[in-house]
């Protein structure tokens, strides 16, 4: 994609902020569209990659917001997306805790159906993780070398992977789940994607919340994770070890992301515990 064709929006135009995350802010663009405006310090390459990936994925899946165009606004790049009317799965769970089990099972079913979609993306999960592991500064070269060597022995695959699949990235539009935030999408074994989701639900942490809210959120995420993985295993027929064998490289790759120091320390302990084992295919999590 040529950035020369990217439309520049008048800097004096004001948009209403409706949500934000680590990599981007989301604004209301018009009645039917939203603007995902990426943060200034984010490299252009992953933004272009997200736009091009979603353009391909939306031809395969119906439950994906349409990407219309890339724009530039106040020195930052963004993507204009179809506006999805609804609330994310986490908010739906918190509205009525009786719905937690039902939505956790739905999370697994949506993920399983996604993995039955053959990917046309060229970027493999092994290439993605290997590149991320190279960039981890708090692991030494010997540790990174062992993890990458182990990664290459894991099974390949050609399934479409979201690789940031969690309840916050599922919008319930009426009763239909819509999957958002495809920046990390890649191709490979579904077990790698399941391992990533399990890890997010077991170790993920809200960064902008007080201690009590973090503890409460962590409790519910672990509960959701248990139901999700049990339902996914029932649907797919995979074993516990099938996805857990991916935990080591997935956890190492996670260390390159904007996560809290506490989560980083917990992941580092997990990684070094696994590296201390003589047989890396045996996990005790």
């Amino acid at each position: 994609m040529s950035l020369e064709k990217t439309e520049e929006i008048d800097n004096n135009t004001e948009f209403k902020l409706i949500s934000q995350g680590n990599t981007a802010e989301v604004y209301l663009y018009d009645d039917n569209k939203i603007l995902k405006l990426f943060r200034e310090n984010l490299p252009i390459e992953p933004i272009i990659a997200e736009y091009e990936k979603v353009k391909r994925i939306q031809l395969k899946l119906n439950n994906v917001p349409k990407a219309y165009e890339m724009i530039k606004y106040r020195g930052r790049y963004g993507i204009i997306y179809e506006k999805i009317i609804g609330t994310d799965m986490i908010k739906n769970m918190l509205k009525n805790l009786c719905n937690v089990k039902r939505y956790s099972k739905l999370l697994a079913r949506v993920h399983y159906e996604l993995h039955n979609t053959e990917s046309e993306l060229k970027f493999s999960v092994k290439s993605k993780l290997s590149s991320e592991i190279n960039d981890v500064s708090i692991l030494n070269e010997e540790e990174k070398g062992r993890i990458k060597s182990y990664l290459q022995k894991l099974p390949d695959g050609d399934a479409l992977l979201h690789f940031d699949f969690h309840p916050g990235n599922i919008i319930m539009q009426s009763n239909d789940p819509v999957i958002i935030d495809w920046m990390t999408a890649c191709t490979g074994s579904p077990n790698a994607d399941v391992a990533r989701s399990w890890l997010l639900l077991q170790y993920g942490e809200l960064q902008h919340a007080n201690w009590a809210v973090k503890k409460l959120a962590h409790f519910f995420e672990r509960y959701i994770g248990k139901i999700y993985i049990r339902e996914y295993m029932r649907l797919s027929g995979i074993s516990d070890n099938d996805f857990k064998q991916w935990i080591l490289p997935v956890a190492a790759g996670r260390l390159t992301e904007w996560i809290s120091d506490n989560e980083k320390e917990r992941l580092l302990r997990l990684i070094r515990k696994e590296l201390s084992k003589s047989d890396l295919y045996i996990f005790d999590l």
Side-chain angles (χ1 to χ4, degrees):
M1 172 178 182
S2 173
L3 291 178
E4 295 176 359
K5 297 180 181 179
T6 302
E7 179 186 353
E8 289 209 35
I9 297 176
D10 186 345
N11 289 344
N12 294 318
T13 305
E14 295 290 340
F15 299 106
K16 180 183 178 181
L17 178 68
I18 53 178
S19 67
Q20 58 181 314
N22 287 335
T23 60
E25 297 167 331
V26 178
Y27 293 87
L28 185 63
Y29 187 72
D30 63 27
D31 290 343
N32 301 305
K33 298 174 183 175
I34 57 100
L35 165 61
K36 183 177 181 180
L37 191 63
F38 294 89
R39 300 197 183 276
E40 290 179 274
N41 57 350
L42 193 72
I44 187 63
E45 291 80 10
I47 301 172
I48 295 173
E50 175 175 338
Y51 176 72
E52 293 180 340
K53 283 189 283 192
V54 174
K55 294 292 282 186
R56 291 191 184 96
I57 292 166
Q58 68 191 28
L59 299 175
K60 290 270 190 177
L61 296 174
N62 294 322
N63 57 340
V64 175
K66 290 181 174 61
Y68 294 112
E69 62 180 319
M70 271 191 66
I71 58 90
K72 192 172 184 181
Y73 173 63
R74 296 182 178 176
R76 297 160 62 185
Y77 287 97
I79 301 174
I80 304 297
Y81 277 108
E82 172 189 7
K83 179 184 174 184
I84 303 299
I85 301 173
T87 54
D88 67 54
M89 196 178 275
I90 284 286
K91 290 187 178 72
N92 278 277
M93 290 178 180
L94 293 176
K95 282 180 186 176
N96 186 346
L97 296 181
C98 295
N99 289 329
V100 171
K101 187 173 183 179
R102 178 170 66 87
Y103 277 119
S104 299
K105 287 187 173 184
L106 177 60
L107 182 72
R109 290 197 295 274
V110 174
H111 211 187
Y112 177 66
E113 289 167 5
L114 167 63
H115 291 154
N116 284 301
T117 304
E118 188 175 346
S119 177
E120 294 183 354
L121 305 180
K122 304 301 181 184
F123 192 39
S124 77
V125 68
K126 285 188 175 182
S127 296
K128 173 180 172 57
L129 288 171
S130 184
S131 177
E132 289 173 349
I133 292 165
N134 280 336
D135 293 337
V136 177
S137 59
I138 56 177
L139 292 174
N140 62 46
E141 293 305 313
E142 190 267 341
E143 290 171 324
K144 290 192 278 189
R146 289 184 63 202
I147 298 169
K148 288 190 294 179
S149 176
Y150 168 76
L151 170 64
Q152 295 311 313
K153 296 174 185 175
L154 292 173
D156 293 307
D158 59 3
L160 175 62
L161 312 183
H162 183 279
F163 224 64
D164 197 24
F165 193 88
H166 57 78
N169 276 338
I170 310 296
I171 305 297
M172 298 305 298
Q173 184 170 244
S174 298
N175 291 318
D176 298 320
V178 179
I179 310 168
I180 64 169
D181 202 358
W182 288 87
M183 177 178 278
T184 52
C186 51
T187 298
S189 167
N191 290 314
D193 210 12
V194 173
R196 164 81 177 184
S197 295
W198 184 89
L199 196 74
L200 291 173
L201 291 167
Q202 293 293 310
Y203 287 83
E205 184 176 285
L206 294 176
Q207 293 197 52
H208 307 294
N210 62 41
W211 179 85
V213 172
K214 285 182 180 180
K215 293 291 286 185
L216 183 63
H218 185 58
F219 170 80
F220 277 109
E221 284 177 338
R222 289 176 68 90
Y223 179 64
I224 292 164
K226 287 179 181 179
I227 300 170
Y228 154 81
I229 197 61
R230 190 161 56 236
E231 180 69 5
Y232 188 95
M233 290 170 67
R234 185 188 71 80
L235 291 167
S236 64
I238 67 168
S239 71
D240 200 54
N241 192 64
D242 287 335
F243 81 89
K244 284 187 176 178
Q245 64 183 345
W246 284 89
I247 292 293
L248 175 62
V250 170
R254 175 82 168 147
L255 292 176
T256 63
E257 299 176 39
W258 293 326
I259 59 178
S260 70
D261 290 340
N262 183 54
E263 184 178 349
K264 195 169 289 187
E265 289 173 9
R266 293 177 68 223
L267 288 175
L268 192 58
R269 286 197 299 270
L270 168 64
I271 290 164
R272 288 184 169 150
K273 175 185 174 183
E274 297 309 319
L275 284 172
S276 69
K277 296 179 179 178
S278 58
D279 184 350
L280 290 179
Y281 281 89
I282 298 174
F283 288 85
D284 180 22
L285 299 173

